[in-house]
Amino acid sequence: MEMNQITVSDADLRKGAEEGMDAFLKVFIDKYLEVTGGVINEKTMPLLNGYQHTLLGYHFFREEVMEGGFVQLIQNGYGPYIFDNPFAKAMRLFGAKDFSKLIYEAKKIYDAHRADLEKDCTEDEFMAMYEQYEAFDDLEEKFMEEEELITAQIAAYVDEHLDSFATIA
């Protein structure tokens, strides 16, 4: 599938931009979710380019971490998408340098405990992971504090490189 098949309307972008950075990014993210069916696997990976995957990765990261931290992000299957792809490097290139460092720090914990963090578990075992992996706590707190700034940095990058994220019609 060619990149140019991901098209967003200029009107939607303008409306999103007027509503703020979250709404602006949502125009792209909604389109990526539509194209992939909200599922990231070997069938849907080729449907998006690296820039689009990075933005979609940030969407999943933000949604999962804000709701249930790194444990939830990983338990819901997004560990490989975030930590095995050049997501952290891309965030640095997008201008979110401190966030990039935070991802690398989380990756160290993930890599060291991957099998345990990704294993199927009961609700009780899942809840116990929050105590077991308190190492994530400071990173989660830091992300919560900086989320607006990070989102603003990403929105600014997208705004300056629209062609990399979609064809505007």
Side-chain angles (χ1 to χ4, degrees):
M1 179 180 197
E2 288 298 305
M3 153 77 192
N4 62 15
Q5 288 187 281
I6 298 207
T7 305
V8 296
S9 90
D10 188 49
D12 287 348
L13 271 188
R14 286 176 198 278
K15 186 175 181 287
E18 282 169 23
E19 290 173 26
M21 61 191 178
D22 289 340
F24 171 72
L25 292 177
K26 192 176 184 313
V27 174
F28 295 95
I29 291 161
D30 285 351
K31 194 69 178 179
Y32 304 161
L33 290 170
E34 181 189 313
V35 168
T36 60
V39 178
I40 298 303
N41 58 29
E42 51 287 339
K43 267 211 310 254
T44 60
M45 281 297 281
L47 301 179
L48 303 177
N49 69 26
Y51 292 98
Q52 295 163 337
H53 276 297
T54 300
L55 184 54
L56 188 58
Y58 181 67
H59 162 72
F60 289 133
F61 179 92
R62 184 168 77 159
E63 211 169 60
E64 297 292 326
V65 172
M66 298 286 275
E67 188 182 300
F70 283 99
V71 169
Q72 179 176 306
L73 174 84
I74 296 163
Q75 273 288 307
N76 283 345
Y78 296 111
Y81 192 50
I82 299 297
F83 299 117
D84 292 347
N85 284 305
F87 181 73
K89 182 181 180 188
M91 286 293 109
R92 193 179 76 233
L93 297 173
F94 280 27
K97 291 179 178 63
D98 290 343
F99 180 51
S100 174
K101 290 177 191 157
L102 185 146
I103 301 293
Y104 283 121
E105 286 303 308
K107 180 176 168 43
K108 288 178 193 168
I109 302 166
Y110 173 73
D111 287 345
H113 304 282
R114 182 173 187 156
D116 189 51
L117 282 162
E118 290 183 344
K119 74 176 186 232
D120 286 337
C121 59
T122 65
E123 186 67 25
D124 289 344
E125 289 169 326
F126 173 71
M127 295 315 285
M129 278 187 180
Y130 285 101
E131 279 179 44
Q132 198 180 339
Y133 294 103
E134 286 179 344
F136 283 131
D137 291 358
D138 289 346
L139 298 175
E140 290 161 0
E141 212 169 287
K142 192 169 189 224
F143 176 71
M144 302 286 188
E145 288 167 11
E146 297 175 3
E147 180 270 328
E148 263 186 63
L149 171 66
I150 295 163
T151 301
Q153 291 168 329
I154 292 167
Y157 186 88
V158 171
D159 193 35
E160 290 161 20
H161 303 85
L162 288 173
D163 293 352
S164 300
F165 295 91
T167 299
I168 315 303

